[in-house]
Amino acid sequence: MESYDIIIRNGSILTMDADNSVIEDGRVYINGDTIVRVGHCGDEASDAKKTIDAQGGLILPGLINGHTHAAMSLFRGLADDLPLMEWLNHYIFPAEKRIDARFVYTGTLLACAEMILSGATTFCDMYLFEDQTAEAASRAGMRCLAGEVLYDFPSPNYGDPENGLAYTEFLIRKWEHHPLISIAVEPHSLFTCSPDLLIRANQIASDHHLPLIIHVAETLPEVMEIKERYGKTPVEHLESLGLLGPSLIMDHAVHLDTWDMDQIAEHGVKVIHNPESNMKLASGIAPIPELLNRGVTVGIGTDGCASNNNLDLFTEMDMAAKLHKARAMDPTVMDAVTVLRMATIEGARALGLQDLIGSIETGKKADIIIVETNRPHLTPMYNPFSHLVYAARGSDVSHVVINGRLVMAHGKLLTMDLEEIMGHARESSMQVREWVSNG
Ligand SMILES: [Zn+2]
């Protein structure tokens, strides 16, 4: 009899492979960190150290949050419904210039708890003190693509802007062989980074074969500022610096003209769509259907918690599907399968992790979630893709396996003490109140 570390049984497997195959009453066999077989119930006798019963629910790849500032979970609800510059200048910036390593570790653990509980297994983060982000993700047992935010002004982490690239190289060395953590190079944006910094950041990314990740064309004022400074659109500016290429990941990409979209497609640039943040900050609506029509790889992200205000990819998928239908006045755009692919295999492709994660296929890392469907809002079920995008919530996730390790079972986190994490988060909020009231 064959023996495995984990068998997940008694559920419909949404493989998210090239054909979006669904295996009714399927079984996933895991050894170590890897999916070694995907099959049907009734396969030959087999034995496992641990058997997980999906109880007739849905078994799918872990969701991929393509853009976060995880530690901002500690700023959630601090200030909302304000004009962008007032929000930034009076609340976020005064607080951010005082944050420290402990704050980022606490905030990221809290974010990881929320993400795992709502079915995310990977997140791609940009923030300060990213070594602490990586430490927290590692403790939580989550997969993370982390990068220190780089810009032209001093950072509370690395001090002088000159030190930012050295800090990035330290991250690359430190986390090189970690099974869950990988590093990206992450200049903040075109309006906070000089051409010189952008070129040097790109050089480090290409020397180490790492993604280069940057916020691009998020707001109209940004586009106007770049046009004023350089006489170019943000995408033109990137093109003139030689930064367009398949390892460039653009967060947002809201305000694009036809030439910009053609360039993104032609150069194989990846895009992460953050619909709820774009709605809440009134940034606009990214032309995602137009990018998909050009064959661009698009993932989905929540952005930071202060501009969303949650890290639940189920609500993000729902919004993504509906927002574009309303904009186009066409209910056929952004169908459920397309949107679920953005949160799984296309998200993996956007981050350059498609060989490891994003689908349930033999040889891939075992990042798998179970969605419980024995609930009124998911009964009856005609089409699992429809239910996942339009009806399910993060709280319907019952089990999460990351890299072959069960990190959540029956809705309970196994890697962390949730009460302790929330206690630390409440303590940090006292500090945040002080920072903001002192300006
Ligand atoms: Zn962002």
Side-chain angles (χ1 to χ4, degrees):
M1 189 161 29
E2 288 276 351
S3 181
Y4 301 91
D5 289 333
I6 299 179
I7 296 178
I8 304 175
R9 55 176 286 276
N10 191 23
S12 298
I13 305 173
L14 276 62
T15 61
M16 307 314 290
D17 65 7
D19 304 317
N20 300 312
S21 314
V22 177
I23 303 171
E24 305 288 348
D25 206 355
R27 286 185 170 202
V28 184
Y29 301 81
I30 299 166
N31 266 337
D33 59 8
T34 305
I35 299 167
V36 292
R37 200 150 70 90
V38 184
H40 291 276
C41 170
D43 281 0
E44 78 261 28
S46 49
D47 187 29
K49 290 182 192 136
K50 193 188 298 276
T51 301
I52 302 171
D53 184 350
Q55 298 189 309
L58 301 174
I59 302 166
L60 61 147
L63 304 182
I64 296 171
N65 194 338
H67 179 55
T68 59
H69 310 279
M72 289 185 86
S73 59
L74 295 176
F75 295 143
R76 174 174 12 221
L78 174 64
D80 303 295
D81 312 322
L82 293 172
L84 180 64
M85 290 326 286
E86 193 180 332
W87 179 72
L88 285 175
N89 290 329
H90 293 141
Y91 294 94
I92 301 302
F93 289 159
E96 278 190 343
K97 69 179 184 223
R98 292 174 176 89
I99 65 171
D100 55 19
R102 190 184 147 78
F103 178 93
V104 171
Y105 186 75
T106 303
T108 307
L109 269 190
L110 181 71
C112 286
E114 183 185 353
M115 287 192 277
I116 291 172
L117 286 167
S118 55
T121 53
T122 297
F123 66 111
C124 177
D125 201 70
M126 174 197 282
Y127 209 53
L128 300 147
F129 299 94
E130 272 300 283
D131 188 41
Q132 295 301 309
T133 306
E135 290 285 358
S138 163
R139 174 166 159 209
M142 261 192 104
R143 201 177 293 283
C144 175
L145 178 56
E148 182 74 11
V149 66
L150 304 168
Y151 37 49
D152 292 332
F153 27 90
S155 147
N157 179 20
Y158 52 76
D160 195 83
E162 267 308 302
N163 302 334
L165 293 171
Y167 183 83
T168 298
E169 286 186 311
F170 149 73
L171 290 177
I172 295 169
R173 279 193 307 275
K174 173 170 170 181
W175 296 99
E176 197 178 355
H177 300 296
H178 196 277
L180 293 172
I181 311 298
S182 46
I183 300 298
V185 185
E186 305 202 26
H188 175 262
S189 66
L190 300 177
F191 60 96
T192 53
C193 296
S194 66
D196 177 61
L197 176 58
L198 292 169
I199 289 169
R200 289 162 69 200
N202 187 44
Q203 191 59 49
I204 292 178
S206 87
D207 287 350
H208 294 276
H209 309 288
L210 302 176
L212 183 76
I213 305 179
I214 181 166
H215 296 108
V216 179
E218 180 177 356
T219 65
L220 264 187
E222 174 197 334
V223 174
M224 276 146 62
E225 187 176 334
I226 298 304
K227 278 187 176 161
E228 229 162 79
R229 264 202 242 175
Y230 304 105
K232 297 180 170 79
T233 70
V235 175
E236 259 182 293
H237 181 46
L238 284 164
E239 195 260 350
S240 72
L241 298 174
L243 263 58
L244 295 184
S247 55
L248 178 66
I249 303 171
M250 288 184 183
D251 296 321
H252 299 298
V254 174
H255 298 281
L256 306 174
D257 63 23
T258 307
W259 186 89
D260 294 334
M261 290 191 276
D262 290 343
Q263 288 296 308
I264 288 171
E266 216 167 279
H267 289 272
V269 174
K270 314 299 191 288
V271 169
I272 302 294
H273 181 36
N274 303 270
E276 289 194 67
S277 170
N278 297 156
M279 289 163 77
K280 183 158 182 279
L281 299 179
S283 303
I285 303 175
I288 300 303
E290 290 88 334
L291 290 169
L292 292 174
N293 282 341
R294 286 170 168 80
V296 175
T297 298
V298 181
I300 194 164
T302 56
D303 205 0
C305 232
S307 59
N308 189 306
N309 287 0
N310 65 65
L311 300 172
D312 184 340
L313 284 168
F314 285 89
T315 64
E316 205 72 36
M317 288 194 288
D318 184 44
M319 289 289 168
K322 290 173 182 166
L323 180 63
H324 294 287
K325 295 177 199 306
R327 171 176 167 257
M329 293 199 286
D330 177 358
T332 67
V333 299
M334 297 284 272
D335 60 82
V337 172
T338 300
V339 174
L340 188 62
R341 286 185 72 82
M342 282 169 55
T344 54
I345 185 62
E346 293 302 313
R349 211 184 305 284
L351 303 183
L353 299 172
Q354 69 276 11
D355 294 337
L356 292 181
I357 57 171
S359 59
I360 299 183
E361 292 178 274
T362 301
K364 285 215 173 171
K365 298 297 177 195
D367 288 12
I368 297 170
I369 64 173
I370 297 173
V371 173
E372 202 181 305
T373 53
N374 189 29
R375 300 192 172 185
H377 62 284
L378 300 175
T379 304
M381 184 168 61
Y382 301 105
N383 178 330
F385 295 97
S386 163
H387 267 17
L388 287 170
V389 172
Y390 297 120
R393 308 166 187 144
S395 55
D396 296 323
V397 176
S398 65
H399 291 72
V400 176
V401 173
I402 305 176
N403 211 40
R405 177 185 181 199
L406 186 62
V407 297
M408 173 180 142
H410 306 290
K412 295 273 175 299
L413 281 177
L414 303 177
T415 50
M416 297 183 271
D417 180 341
L418 198 51
E419 286 305 322
E420 185 191 315
I421 292 166
M422 291 193 293
H424 289 157
R426 285 185 202 103
E427 281 165 30
S428 294
S429 72
M430 313 283 210
Q431 243 184 342
V432 171
R433 274 180 226 275
E434 224 171 274
W435 292 339
V436 170
S437 63
N438 295 336

